[in-house]
């Protein structure tokens, strides 16, 4: 698989990750809204108020998750899949002797063509260290020296 095809496949997996999270959070919000409406119709009292308070907390949590998903979508929109650079940046695929990274969003482990990559945020500790690095550069992370073997 070509360098650009790998990057494109990683990008697509990140989009799928974000869309799945968006679907899940949207369903939680919808479910909680229905539950809130039925709580309103039920009897009053302490039990009723506790139920409403719990649902409100769930709605706030889902709202925060929705904000995070929106931010991830914005980050993905900035990635130029067809751009290959000699310096690690948002959208770069960084290969090392031990681990391969896709500088994008925190989407975890992705396997492409039997090779494992970790989609990480550029604001993560390792992401910050990788930004601006070139092939042959070394970074020191978690007590390990990591050599950059290639950039895509």
């Amino acid at each position: 698989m070509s360098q650009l095809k790998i990057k494109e496949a990683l990008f697509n997996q990140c989009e799928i990750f974000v869309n799945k999270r968006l679907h899940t959070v949207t369903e939680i919000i919808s479910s909680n809204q229905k539950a809130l409406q039925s709580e309103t119709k039920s009897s009053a009292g302490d039990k009723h108020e506790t139920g409403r308070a719990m649902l409100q907390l769930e709605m706030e949590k889902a709202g925060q998750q929705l904000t995070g998903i929106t931010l991830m979508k914005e980050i993905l929109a900035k990635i130029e899949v067809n751009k290959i650079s000699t310096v690690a940046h948002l959208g770069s695929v960084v290969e090392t002797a031990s681990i391969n990274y896709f500088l994008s969003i925190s989407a975890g482990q992705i396997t492409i063509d039997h090779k494992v990559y970790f989609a990480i945020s550029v604001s993560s500790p390792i992401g910050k260290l990788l930004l601006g690095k070139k092939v042959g550069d070394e970074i020191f992370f978690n007590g390990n020296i990591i050599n950059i073997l290639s950039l895509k």
Side-chain angles (χ1 to χ4, degrees):
M1 192 178 271
S2 75
Q3 290 182 358
L4 289 177
K5 290 285 183 199
I6 290 170
K7 188 187 280 196
E8 199 173 297
L10 288 165
F11 180 82
N12 290 339
Q13 288 300 310
C14 286
E15 280 191 319
I16 289 168
F17 172 83
V18 170
N19 289 331
K20 278 183 184 174
R21 291 211 30 205
L22 178 62
H23 180 73
T24 302
V25 171
T26 305
E27 291 219 338
I28 289 169
I29 289 171
S30 176
S31 167
N32 286 342
Q33 284 173 336
K34 286 176 187 165
L36 262 175
Q37 288 168 353
S38 69
E39 276 286 324
T40 304
K41 295 172 189 168
S42 70
S43 64
D46 289 344
K47 184 178 176 186
H48 171 73
E49 290 304 316
T50 302
R52 284 187 63 77
M54 294 300 287
L55 285 170
Q56 290 287 25
L57 285 173
E58 286 295 316
M59 290 291 282
E60 285 176 28
K61 185 173 150 188
Q64 290 170 347
Q65 289 175 336
L66 200 54
T67 301
I69 291 166
T70 302
L71 182 61
M72 282 190 220
K73 281 183 163 281
E74 288 171 7
I75 290 168
L76 287 176
K78 293 177 185 175
I79 293 176
E80 296 177 50
V81 180
N82 298 323
K83 183 179 178 185
I84 292 186
S85 174
T86 56
V87 178
H89 63 283
L90 179 65
S92 290
V93 176
V94 181
E95 294 184 340
T96 73
S98 55
I99 301 174
N100 303 311
Y101 301 99
F102 179 47
L103 299 178
S104 55
I105 60 168
S106 296
Q109 183 176 318
I110 300 171
T111 303
I112 305 289
D113 241 11
H114 308 293
K115 203 170 190 180
V116 175
Y117 297 86
F118 286 90
I120 60 169
S121 165
V122 292
S123 60
S124 68
I126 186 83
K128 287 178 183 175
L129 290 173
L130 289 170
L131 278 179
K133 298 296 184 236
K134 298 179 179 118
V135 173
D137 285 352
E138 294 179 340
I139 61 168
F140 189 72
F141 185 70
N142 280 349
N144 299 312
I145 295 173
I146 300 170
N147 294 308
I148 298 173
L149 303 178
S150 77
L151 286 174
K152 298 177 183 163

